mmCIF file of all heavy atoms in Angstrom:
data_model
loop_
_atom_site.group_PDB
_atom_site.id
_atom_site.type_symbol
_atom_site.label_atom_id
_atom_site.label_comp_id
_atom_site.label_asym_id
_atom_site.label_seq_id
_atom_site.Cartn_x
_atom_site.Cartn_y
_atom_site.Cartn_z
ATOM 1 N N GLN A 1 117.461 5.032 21.565
ATOM 2 C CA GLN A 1 118.494 4.013 21.340
ATOM 3 C C GLN A 1 117.967 2.598 21.588
ATOM 4 O O GLN A 1 118.058 1.742 20.728
ATOM 5 C CB GLN A 1 119.731 4.272 22.208
ATOM 6 C CG GLN A 1 120.447 5.574 21.865
ATOM 7 C CD GLN A 1 120.871 5.616 20.400
ATOM 8 O OE1 GLN A 1 121.439 4.665 19.895
ATOM 9 N NE2 GLN A 1 120.588 6.730 19.748
ATOM 10 N N SER A 2 117.443 2.307 22.758
ATOM 11 C CA SER A 2 116.922 0.978 23.056
ATOM 12 C C SER A 2 115.432 1.059 23.348
ATOM 13 O O SER A 2 114.989 1.869 24.165
ATOM 14 C CB SER A 2 117.643 0.367 24.263
ATOM 15 O OG SER A 2 117.070 -0.891 24.592
ATOM 16 N N VAL A 3 114.647 0.205 22.664
ATOM 17 C CA VAL A 3 113.193 0.186 22.877
ATOM 18 C C VAL A 3 112.714 -1.197 23.307
ATOM 19 O O VAL A 3 111.521 -1.480 23.243
ATOM 20 C CB VAL A 3 112.444 0.616 21.585
ATOM 21 C CG1 VAL A 3 112.669 2.082 21.293
ATOM 22 C CG2 VAL A 3 112.876 -0.245 20.400
ATOM 23 N N ASN A 4 113.630 -2.046 23.742
ATOM 24 C CA ASN A 4 113.234 -3.395 24.159
ATOM 25 C C ASN A 4 112.206 -3.371 25.290
ATOM 26 O O ASN A 4 111.233 -4.141 25.258
ATOM 27 C CB ASN A 4 114.473 -4.191 24.578
ATOM 28 C CG ASN A 4 115.374 -4.507 23.390
ATOM 29 O OD1 ASN A 4 114.905 -4.615 22.259
ATOM 30 N ND2 ASN A 4 116.662 -4.635 23.637
ATOM 31 N N PRO A 5 112.358 -2.523 26.320
ATOM 32 C CA PRO A 5 111.319 -2.474 27.369
ATOM 33 C C PRO A 5 109.953 -2.060 26.823
ATOM 34 O O PRO A 5 108.921 -2.527 27.305
ATOM 35 C CB PRO A 5 111.867 -1.428 28.351
ATOM 36 C CG PRO A 5 113.340 -1.428 28.123
ATOM 37 C CD PRO A 5 113.499 -1.654 26.648
ATOM 38 N N ILE A 6 109.941 -1.185 25.805
ATOM 39 C CA ILE A 6 108.672 -0.748 25.227
ATOM 40 C C ILE A 6 107.959 -1.925 24.575
ATOM 41 O O ILE A 6 106.729 -2.033 24.613
ATOM 42 C CB ILE A 6 108.909 0.386 24.213
ATOM 43 C CG1 ILE A 6 109.443 1.634 24.921
ATOM 44 C CG2 ILE A 6 107.623 0.725 23.457
ATOM 45 C CD1 ILE A 6 109.736 2.794 24.001
ATOM 46 N N GLY A 7 108.719 -2.833 23.980
ATOM 47 C CA GLY A 7 108.130 -4.020 23.380
ATOM 48 C C GLY A 7 107.400 -4.874 24.402
ATOM 49 O O GLY A 7 106.318 -5.409 24.124
ATOM 50 N N PHE A 8 107.954 -4.995 25.592
ATOM 51 C CA PHE A 8 107.294 -5.761 26.655
ATOM 52 C C PHE A 8 105.997 -5.091 27.082
ATOM 53 O O PHE A 8 105.001 -5.766 27.378
ATOM 54 C CB PHE A 8 108.229 -5.915 27.860
ATOM 55 C CG PHE A 8 109.415 -6.804 27.599
ATOM 56 C CD1 PHE A 8 110.701 -6.313 27.708
ATOM 57 C CD2 PHE A 8 109.240 -8.131 27.232
ATOM 58 C CE1 PHE A 8 111.797 -7.126 27.459
ATOM 59 C CE2 PHE A 8 110.331 -8.953 26.981
ATOM 60 C CZ PHE A 8 111.612 -8.454 27.093
ATOM 61 N N VAL A 9 106.007 -3.773 27.120
ATOM 62 C CA VAL A 9 104.785 -3.034 27.463
ATOM 63 C C VAL A 9 103.708 -3.295 26.415
ATOM 64 O O VAL A 9 102.536 -3.536 26.747
ATOM 65 C CB VAL A 9 105.073 -1.525 27.573
ATOM 66 C CG1 VAL A 9 103.777 -0.737 27.755
ATOM 67 C CG2 VAL A 9 106.024 -1.252 28.731
ATOM 68 N N PHE A 10 104.094 -3.264 25.150
ATOM 69 C CA PHE A 10 103.136 -3.502 24.061
ATOM 70 C C PHE A 10 102.502 -4.884 24.199
ATOM 71 O O PHE A 10 101.276 -5.032 24.131
ATOM 72 C CB PHE A 10 103.840 -3.380 22.716
ATOM 73 C CG PHE A 10 102.967 -3.750 21.543
ATOM 74 C CD1 PHE A 10 102.143 -2.810 20.950
ATOM 75 C CD2 PHE A 10 102.963 -5.048 21.036
ATOM 76 C CE1 PHE A 10 101.316 -3.150 19.885
ATOM 77 C CE2 PHE A 10 102.153 -5.395 19.980
ATOM 78 C CZ PHE A 10 101.328 -4.441 19.395
ATOM 79 N N LEU A 11 103.332 -5.906 24.391
ATOM 80 C CA LEU A 11 102.820 -7.272 24.489
ATOM 81 C C LEU A 11 101.914 -7.446 25.703
ATOM 82 O O LEU A 11 100.944 -8.215 25.657
ATOM 83 C CB LEU A 11 103.987 -8.249 24.549
ATOM 84 C CG LEU A 11 104.850 -8.318 23.277
ATOM 85 C CD1 LEU A 11 106.044 -9.238 23.481
ATOM 86 C CD2 LEU A 11 104.024 -8.788 22.083
ATOM 87 N N SER A 12 102.217 -6.727 26.782
ATOM 88 C CA SER A 12 101.360 -6.813 27.967
ATOM 89 C C SER A 12 99.991 -6.189 27.697
ATOM 90 O O SER A 12 98.959 -6.732 28.110
ATOM 91 C CB SER A 12 102.037 -6.102 29.142
ATOM 92 O OG SER A 12 103.258 -6.733 29.486
ATOM 93 N N LEU A 13 99.981 -5.072 26.974
ATOM 94 C CA LEU A 13 98.713 -4.424 26.652
ATOM 95 C C LEU A 13 97.875 -5.256 25.692
ATOM 96 O O LEU A 13 96.643 -5.268 25.771
ATOM 97 C CB LEU A 13 98.972 -3.039 26.051
ATOM 98 C CG LEU A 13 99.507 -1.971 27.008
ATOM 99 C CD1 LEU A 13 99.866 -0.702 26.238
ATOM 100 C CD2 LEU A 13 98.489 -1.661 28.095
ATOM 101 N N VAL A 14 98.532 -5.965 24.788
ATOM 102 C CA VAL A 14 97.804 -6.799 23.823
ATOM 103 C C VAL A 14 96.980 -7.866 24.541
ATOM 104 O O VAL A 14 95.919 -8.275 24.052
ATOM 105 C CB VAL A 14 98.787 -7.448 22.828
ATOM 106 C CG1 VAL A 14 98.109 -8.563 22.032
ATOM 107 C CG2 VAL A 14 99.322 -6.403 21.864
ATOM 108 N N GLU A 15 97.454 -8.314 25.701
ATOM 109 C CA GLU A 15 96.746 -9.359 26.439
ATOM 110 C C GLU A 15 95.317 -8.964 26.777
ATOM 111 O O GLU A 15 94.463 -9.826 27.005
ATOM 112 C CB GLU A 15 97.506 -9.705 27.718
ATOM 113 C CG GLU A 15 98.807 -10.452 27.485
ATOM 114 C CD GLU A 15 98.575 -11.813 26.848
ATOM 115 O OE1 GLU A 15 97.660 -12.533 27.295
ATOM 116 O OE2 GLU A 15 99.300 -12.149 25.893
ATOM 117 N N ALA A 16 95.035 -7.663 26.808
ATOM 118 C CA ALA A 16 93.669 -7.213 27.083
ATOM 119 C C ALA A 16 92.704 -7.679 26.009
ATOM 120 O O ALA A 16 91.488 -7.776 26.244
ATOM 121 C CB ALA A 16 93.627 -5.689 27.193
ATOM 122 N N GLY A 17 93.225 -8.005 24.816
ATOM 123 C CA GLY A 17 92.379 -8.462 23.723
ATOM 124 C C GLY A 17 91.777 -9.829 23.937
ATOM 125 O O GLY A 17 90.892 -10.245 23.176
ATOM 126 N N ARG A 18 92.226 -10.540 24.961
ATOM 127 C CA ARG A 18 91.646 -11.855 25.263
ATOM 128 C C ARG A 18 90.225 -11.743 25.804
ATOM 129 O O ARG A 18 89.492 -12.736 25.833
ATOM 130 C CB ARG A 18 92.494 -12.597 26.297
ATOM 131 C CG ARG A 18 93.860 -13.045 25.818
ATOM 132 C CD ARG A 18 94.552 -13.849 26.902
ATOM 133 N NE ARG A 18 95.882 -14.245 26.531
ATOM 134 C CZ ARG A 18 96.176 -15.352 25.848
ATOM 135 N NH1 ARG A 18 95.202 -16.154 25.457
ATOM 136 N NH2 ARG A 18 97.429 -15.655 25.553
ATOM 137 N N TYR A 19 89.851 -10.559 26.247
ATOM 138 C CA TYR A 19 88.573 -10.390 26.931
ATOM 139 C C TYR A 19 87.697 -9.389 26.181
ATOM 140 O O TYR A 19 88.208 -8.451 25.551
ATOM 141 C CB TYR A 19 88.797 -9.915 28.368
ATOM 142 C CG TYR A 19 89.764 -10.796 29.123
ATOM 143 C CD1 TYR A 19 91.103 -10.423 29.273
ATOM 144 C CD2 TYR A 19 89.346 -12.012 29.660
ATOM 145 C CE1 TYR A 19 91.995 -11.241 29.950
ATOM 146 C CE2 TYR A 19 90.234 -12.836 30.336
ATOM 147 C CZ TYR A 19 91.560 -12.444 30.472
ATOM 148 O OH TYR A 19 92.441 -13.261 31.124
ATOM 149 N N PRO A 20 86.373 -9.557 26.231
ATOM 150 C CA PRO A 20 85.465 -8.615 25.551
ATOM 151 C C PRO A 20 85.650 -7.200 26.065
ATOM 152 O O PRO A 20 85.955 -6.977 27.239
ATOM 153 C CB PRO A 20 84.079 -9.169 25.907
ATOM 154 C CG PRO A 20 84.305 -10.617 26.184
ATOM 155 C CD PRO A 20 85.651 -10.682 26.845
ATOM 156 N N LEU A 21 85.441 -6.247 25.188
ATOM 157 C CA LEU A 21 85.645 -4.846 25.524
ATOM 158 C C LEU A 21 84.745 -4.407 26.678
ATOM 159 O O LEU A 21 85.154 -3.607 27.524
ATOM 160 C CB LEU A 21 85.372 -3.980 24.287
ATOM 161 C CG LEU A 21 85.770 -2.506 24.359
ATOM 162 C CD1 LEU A 21 87.277 -2.360 24.524
ATOM 163 C CD2 LEU A 21 85.301 -1.780 23.109
ATOM 164 N N VAL A 22 83.523 -4.955 26.749
ATOM 165 C CA VAL A 22 82.572 -4.530 27.776
ATOM 166 C C VAL A 22 82.966 -4.996 29.163
ATOM 167 O O VAL A 22 82.355 -4.573 30.156
ATOM 168 C CB VAL A 22 81.149 -5.039 27.449
ATOM 169 C CG1 VAL A 22 80.618 -4.393 26.185
ATOM 170 C CG2 VAL A 22 81.127 -6.565 27.331
ATOM 171 N N PHE A 23 83.956 -5.856 29.281
ATOM 172 C CA PHE A 23 84.412 -6.304 30.591
ATOM 173 C C PHE A 23 85.215 -5.216 31.313
ATOM 174 O O PHE A 23 85.482 -5.336 32.501
ATOM 175 C CB PHE A 23 85.283 -7.552 30.456
ATOM 176 C CG PHE A 23 84.516 -8.832 30.226
ATOM 177 C CD1 PHE A 23 83.202 -8.814 29.778
ATOM 178 C CD2 PHE A 23 85.108 -10.061 30.443
ATOM 179 C CE1 PHE A 23 82.498 -9.985 29.546
ATOM 180 C CE2 PHE A 23 84.415 -11.244 30.219
ATOM 181 C CZ PHE A 23 83.114 -11.212 29.772
ATOM 182 N N PHE A 24 85.594 -4.154 30.594
ATOM 183 C CA PHE A 24 86.452 -3.122 31.158
ATOM 184 C C PHE A 24 85.646 -1.856 31.453
ATOM 185 O O PHE A 24 84.577 -1.630 30.867
ATOM 186 C CB PHE A 24 87.584 -2.782 30.184
ATOM 187 C CG PHE A 24 88.478 -3.946 29.859
ATOM 188 C CD1 PHE A 24 88.267 -4.707 28.713
ATOM 189 C CD2 PHE A 24 89.537 -4.280 30.694
ATOM 190 C CE1 PHE A 24 89.088 -5.777 28.408
ATOM 191 C CE2 PHE A 24 90.366 -5.348 30.397
ATOM 192 C CZ PHE A 24 90.142 -6.095 29.263
ATOM 193 N N PRO A 25 86.157 -0.983 32.346
ATOM 194 C CA PRO A 25 85.502 0.310 32.592
ATOM 195 C C PRO A 25 85.492 1.161 31.322
ATOM 196 O O PRO A 25 86.254 0.918 30.391
ATOM 197 C CB PRO A 25 86.386 0.942 33.677
ATOM 198 C CG PRO A 25 87.097 -0.200 34.320
ATOM 199 C CD PRO A 25 87.299 -1.227 33.236
ATOM 200 N N VAL A 26 84.643 2.177 31.314
ATOM 201 C CA VAL A 26 84.464 3.010 30.123
ATOM 202 C C VAL A 26 85.774 3.647 29.669
ATOM 203 O O VAL A 26 86.089 3.676 28.473
ATOM 204 C CB VAL A 26 83.403 4.097 30.388
ATOM 205 C CG1 VAL A 26 83.309 5.050 29.193
ATOM 206 C CG2 VAL A 26 82.041 3.465 30.672
ATOM 207 N N ALA A 27 86.551 4.155 30.598
ATOM 208 C CA ALA A 27 87.809 4.809 30.236
ATOM 209 C C ALA A 27 88.765 3.829 29.562
ATOM 210 O O ALA A 27 89.437 4.170 28.581
ATOM 211 C CB ALA A 27 88.458 5.417 31.473
ATOM 212 N N VAL A 28 88.806 2.616 30.075
ATOM 213 C CA VAL A 28 89.685 1.597 29.490
ATOM 214 C C VAL A 28 89.165 1.184 28.120
ATOM 215 O O VAL A 28 89.952 0.947 27.195
ATOM 216 C CB VAL A 28 89.790 0.376 30.426
ATOM 217 C CG1 VAL A 28 90.670 -0.710 29.800
ATOM 218 C CG2 VAL A 28 90.356 0.787 31.780
#
């Protein structure tokens, strides 16, 4: 019914794109 909280989760995860992939652990 409501997915507004899921949208906030998506936008928070997108922020990881500001940094190079190699800055994160292998699993991430």
Side-chain angles (χ1 to χ4, degrees):
Q1 296 303 313
S2 176
V3 291
N4 291 332
I6 294 179
F8 291 120
V9 173
F10 174 87
L11 294 176
S12 297
L13 290 173
V14 167
E15 289 296 315
R18 291 184 183 273
Y19 307 99
L21 191 63
V22 294
F23 282 18
F24 300 96
V26 175
V28 178

